[in-house]
């Protein structure tokens, strides 16, 4: 723990500026306001001071920092070469929310650049940031002042929440204007390249530079093993504790989707919340990307105060500053995007022996529903040679992969189900992949003209795949009936059957969580029972 001094920024307060300037010159670290987000600053020429930033944030060691200057004359001390296009950009957008990557100067220590031969530089426009850089008398290296992985801080309170006892000083300069971090553009390759969208839009950059390439990591998840042009893009980011799911589509379909859902909140546009029956936070007017950028991180932090399990976010526009908003939201949502204008997702589950597969088959044959077997996807992604295997090996030990590269499922299971934490780790690796594969299939079915897709998973509630569904149905039968069925079907002993049944949720738990219960045992008529699901489907479509 360090003692954190709190200051308030007033332009004329020279005592405050000299105190903070001295802290920085002496190798301390300070949370400072900028127009984008708050930064956690240190003397950019002092490797030891910069190392403290990494420690305070818990930041991965390979993620370089942006160097902040208050005057263009400082640029020479930071970079080894200034490309002409950098001057053009600086003229138009500095001071402001633009970081330019250039060849690194000699005085920049490895702690800042993390082994790269380039450095990102920006001149912030917030008067507090500029006054503090001037008072320190040196360029300041500063990442966003949040704990690594959390939403970036846009108020002094956010910085206090994350950095109290970790930073030597925090300067309150009010709420950040822009609200998302600076645009990062690289000028070191053949063509200028947008690595991170921010307050300066792609369209604005192109007005100065001509064509700008957009790095693939801006809107899509990196493939396992793919190298990130901007190291920061590969990490889980901006995540509130709640799971965020982005919902694409019309407001009407969004409303129908979220109606009646439990333990969740809506992240919606101004004026929409009152039309919903779940708790909500509004993130600015629809199509007003500037307002949404201003609020996005504050809203993500507020979600945690609400303590909900899931947040359903309306999908922002992707042009102008909207590209920065969707970029941050996609990361907060771990890239989960559900299109409610497409086919409706209906969760289908049931304990072993309940007859879930029979019901799925009937729904597909009679009603033209499509079917996705999540348990099958789970097996596929862990098949021999799958890239997921190396992630599993990293988490659970290299020996879970046999010499012939196949997965030792029994050994993995013995480790992954040994304790709750291990199971969570397994799920954190496999569930996002299963989800994205399933959602890709839904897209295909929508294109084929399907209007309903059964998302069939035995562990639908444990895996939280139910959160993607408009509603869920459970096929149920008493334990004795199920036991008899699986003994007959799989030719196993009564003990084995009981063991399998015990490994799953109890009937009561399935039924408590599901919206529709399909009783699949005498004297119930399965045709009549299935009608309950059809009825719910019709109801949700209205
Ligand atoms: O608005 C901002 O840029 C804020 C305020 C404080 O200025 N700072 C900020 O820093 O967002 P940080 O560290 O959270 O994000 C810096 C991003 C990271 O994604 C990092 O990987 C990338 O910039 N970056 C920094 N130097 C780089 C370099 N030489 N090459 C490629 N990417 C770089
Ligand atoms: Mg950051």
């Amino acid at each position: 723990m360090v003692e954190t001094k709190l200051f308030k920024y007033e332009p004329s307060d020279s005592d405050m500026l000299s105190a903070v300037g001295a802290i920085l010159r002496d190798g301390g670290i300070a949370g400072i306001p900028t127009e984008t987000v708050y930064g956690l600053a240190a003397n950019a020429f002092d490797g030891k001071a910069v190392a403290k930033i990494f420690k305070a944030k818990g930041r991965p060691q390979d993620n370089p920092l942006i160097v902040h200057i208050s005057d263009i004359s400082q640029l020479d001390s930071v970079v080894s070469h200034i490309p002409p296009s950098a001057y053009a950009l600086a003229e138009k957008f500095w001071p402001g929310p633009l970081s330019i990557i250039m060849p690194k100067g000699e005085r920049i220590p490895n702690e800042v650049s993390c082994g790269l031969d380039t450095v990102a530089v920006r001149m912030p426009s917030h008067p507090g940031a500029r006054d503090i850089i001037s008072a320190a008398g040196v360029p300041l290296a500063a990442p966003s002042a949040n704990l690594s992985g959390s939403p970036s801080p846009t108020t002094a309170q956010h910085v206090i929440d994350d950095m109290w006892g970790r930073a030597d000083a925090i300067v309150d300069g009010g709420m950040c204007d822009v609200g998302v971090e600076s645009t990062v553009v690289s000028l070191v390759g053949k063509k200028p390249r947008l690595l991170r969208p921010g307050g300066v839009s792609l369209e604005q950059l192109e007005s100065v530079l001509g064509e700008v390439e957009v790095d693939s990591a801006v809107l899509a998840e990196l493939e396992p093993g793919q190298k990130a042009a901007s190291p920061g893009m590969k990490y889980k980011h901006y995540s509130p504790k709640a799971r965020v799911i982005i919902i694409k589509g019309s407001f009407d379909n969004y409303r129908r989707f979220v109606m009646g859902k439990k333990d969740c909140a809506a992240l919606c546009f101004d004026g929409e919340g009152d039309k919903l029956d779940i708790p909500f936070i509004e993130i600015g007017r629809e199509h007003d990307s500037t307002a949404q950028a201003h609020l996005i991180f504050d809203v993500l932090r507020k979600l945690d105060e609400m303590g909900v399990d899931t947040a359903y976010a309306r999908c922002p526009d992707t042009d102008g500053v909207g590209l920065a908003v969707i970029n941050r939201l996609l990361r907060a949502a771990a890239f989960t995007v559900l299109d409610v204008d497409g086919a409706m997702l209906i969760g289908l589950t049931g304990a072993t022996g309940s007859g879930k597969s029979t019901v799925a088959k009937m729904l597909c044959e009679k009603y033209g529903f499509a079917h996705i077997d999540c348990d099958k996807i789970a097996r596929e992604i862990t098949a021999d040679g799958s890239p997921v295997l190396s992630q599993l090996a990293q988490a659970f030990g290299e020996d879970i992969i046999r010499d012939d590269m196949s997965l030792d499922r029994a050994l993995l299971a013995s480790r992954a189900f040994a304790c709750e934490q291990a199971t969570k780790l397994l799920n954190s690796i496999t569930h996002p992949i299963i989800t994205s594969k399933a959602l890709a299939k839904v897209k295909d079915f929508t294109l084929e003209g399907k209007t309903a897709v059964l998302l069939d998973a035995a562990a639908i509630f444990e895996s939280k795949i139910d959160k993607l569904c408009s509603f869920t149905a459970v096929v149920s039968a008493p334990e004795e009936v199920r036991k008899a069925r699986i003994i007959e079907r799989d030719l196993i002993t009564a003990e084995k059957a009981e063991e399998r049944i015990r490994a799953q949720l109890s009937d009561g738990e399935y039924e408590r969580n599901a919206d529709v219960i399909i009783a699949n045992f005498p004297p119930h008529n399965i045709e009549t029972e299935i009608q309950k699901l059809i009825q719910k489907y019709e109801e949700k479509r209205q």
Side-chain angles (χ1 to χ4, degrees):
M1 276 284 273
V2 301
E3 191 200 330
T4 306
K5 292 199 177 81
L6 187 61
F7 298 92
K8 189 155 182 61
Y9 171 69
E10 301 288 349
S12 50
D13 187 348
S14 57
D15 286 351
M16 178 288 269
L17 287 172
S18 49
V20 177
I23 287 173
L24 289 164
R25 258 194 319 280
D26 293 346
I29 59 175
I32 64 166
T34 88
E35 75 280 19
T36 57
V37 301
Y38 274 75
L40 187 63
N43 177 353
F45 296 142
D46 181 348
K48 264 201 192 138
V50 171
K52 291 185 189 166
I53 294 177
F54 283 79
K55 189 157 167 254
K57 279 181 61 96
R59 183 176 175 101
Q61 295 291 337
D62 64 348
N63 194 4
L65 307 183
I66 295 171
V67 174
H68 298 70
I69 57 176
S70 57
D71 192 284
I72 196 79
S73 64
Q74 290 172 308
L75 192 53
D76 272 334
S77 65
V78 176
V79 305
S80 64
H81 166 70
I82 306 173
S85 50
Y87 281 116
L89 287 176
E91 184 138 315
K92 185 104 189 236
F93 303 115
W94 277 2
L98 177 66
S99 298
I100 308 175
I101 294 178
M102 289 178 263
K104 176 180 100 70
E106 272 171 21
R107 290 185 69 189
I108 296 298
N110 216 14
E111 283 83 355
V112 171
S113 56
C114 298
L116 298 177
D117 51 12
T118 55
V119 64
V121 191
R122 124 171 158 87
M123 189 195 292
S125 65
H126 191 293
R130 293 157 60 87
D131 284 351
I132 292 167
I133 301 167
S134 302
V138 283
L140 298 179
S144 47
N146 51 289
L147 291 170
S148 216
S150 298
S152 295
T154 51
T155 67
Q157 188 57 52
H158 296 162
V159 184
I160 292 170
D161 291 344
D162 280 16
M163 288 300 151
W164 197 257
R166 292 172 185 262
D168 300 289
I170 294 173
V171 182
D172 182 352
M175 185 164 181
C176 300
D177 237 14
V178 179
V180 289
E181 306 88 337
S182 62
T183 302
V184 178
V185 67
S186 171
L187 297 182
V188 294
K190 277 200 195 92
K191 276 197 187 145
R193 196 175 182 80
L194 176 69
L195 300 186
R196 178 177 75 182
V200 171
S201 68
L202 175 64
E203 294 83 348
Q204 284 176 305
L205 286 179
E206 291 193 320
S207 75
V208 173
L209 297 172
E211 197 199 337
V212 174
E213 288 177 350
V214 178
D215 195 75
S216 63
V218 167
L219 286 178
E221 198 166 9
L222 289 170
E223 299 290 329
Q226 192 187 340
K227 195 170 178 300
S230 180
M233 285 295 179
K234 72 171 177 249
Y235 294 108
K236 190 171 155 68
H237 243 98
Y238 316 124
S239 304
K241 291 180 194 84
R243 175 180 184 193
V244 178
I245 297 174
I246 300 175
I247 307 288
K248 241 168 113 166
S250 69
F251 176 67
D252 272 348
N253 286 342
Y254 173 85
R255 187 176 51 78
R256 272 193 280 270
F257 177 82
V258 300
M259 284 286 268
K261 288 213 182 295
K262 294 180 202 80
D263 204 15
C264 67
L267 288 192
C268 56
F269 300 126
D270 288 2
E272 293 178 346
D274 282 340
K275 303 185 183 111
L276 304 171
D277 66 354
I278 59 171
F280 65 87
I281 312 180
E282 291 174 338
I283 56 172
R285 274 184 303 144
E286 190 174 7
H287 310 307
D288 185 349
S289 301
T290 307
Q292 293 161 21
H294 181 67
L295 286 176
I296 179 86
F297 286 132
D298 189 47
V299 157
L300 288 175
R301 280 178 184 255
K302 283 203 174 113
L303 268 182
D304 284 340
E305 290 162 25
M306 295 173 85
V308 293
D309 187 77
T310 312
Y312 294 108
R314 290 267 279 142
C315 187
D317 291 344
T318 56
D319 56 343
V321 181
L323 189 63
V325 180
I326 185 80
N327 169 276
R328 307 307 190 273
L329 203 52
L330 277 168
R331 278 164 178 77
F335 292 90
T336 309
V337 183
L338 176 71
D339 183 350
V340 285
D341 288 350
M344 184 189 297
L345 257 60
I346 301 168
L348 184 69
T349 192
T352 179
S354 62
K356 171 167 72 84
S357 310
T358 316
V359 169
K361 200 160 163 249
M362 288 176 74
L363 284 163
C364 292
E365 284 172 2
K366 263 195 106 162
Y367 297 93
F369 285 16
H371 179 238
I372 295 174
D373 183 343
C374 294
D375 302 331
K376 190 166 152 227
I377 299 179
R379 283 192 300 276
E380 280 166 6
I381 63 164
T382 52
D384 297 357
S386 151
V388 178
L389 295 192
S390 61
Q391 273 171 278
L392 291 174
Q394 241 178 36
F396 295 102
E398 298 294 333
D399 54 337
I400 63 164
I401 311 289
R402 298 194 192 92
D403 289 343
D404 64 359
M405 304 306 281
S406 64
L407 174 65
D408 187 338
R409 287 176 194 272
L411 187 60
L412 172 62
S414 75
R415 289 184 186 155
F417 301 118
C419 66
E420 202 178 321
Q421 210 182 353
T423 311
K424 267 200 178 141
L425 180 61
L426 173 70
N427 293 344
S428 74
I429 295 171
T430 56
H431 287 169
I433 305 170
I434 297 170
T435 302
S436 81
K437 297 244 178 223
L439 286 176
K441 282 184 198 264
V442 175
K443 236 188 208 166
D444 293 342
F445 283 131
T446 299
L447 288 174
E448 283 171 25
K450 295 284 184 188
T451 54
V453 177
L454 295 168
L455 211 50
D456 173 345
I460 201 159
F461 301 117
E462 300 95 307
S463 65
K464 304 201 169 179
I465 285 182
D466 62 314
K467 305 291 182 193
L468 297 169
C469 301
S470 286
F471 68 93
T472 54
V474 59
V475 183
S476 99
E479 195 175 310
E480 283 312 308
V481 176
R482 291 192 285 115
K483 192 165 128 191
R485 281 181 190 158
I486 59 175
I487 291 175
E488 195 186 310
R489 182 188 68 191
D490 300 338
L491 303 172
I492 53 173
T493 61
E495 290 73 45
K496 193 93 200 145
E498 276 164 22
E499 195 181 299
R500 278 201 208 163
I501 287 173
R502 272 199 307 275
Q504 296 185 321
L505 295 181
S506 68
D507 293 351
E509 279 174 287
Y510 276 112
E511 290 172 15
R512 233 189 332 278
N513 284 311
D515 301 293
V516 173
I517 298 167
I518 300 173
N520 184 24
F521 56 95
H524 300 279
N525 176 302
I526 191 65
E527 292 286 349
T528 325
E529 288 292 313
I530 280 180
Q531 284 310 313
K532 294 189 203 161
L533 184 150
I534 299 296
Q535 222 169 46
K536 188 85 185 167
Y537 163 65
E538 298 292 354
E539 203 181 291
K540 278 271 173 187
R541 259 161 65 105
Q542 317 249 308

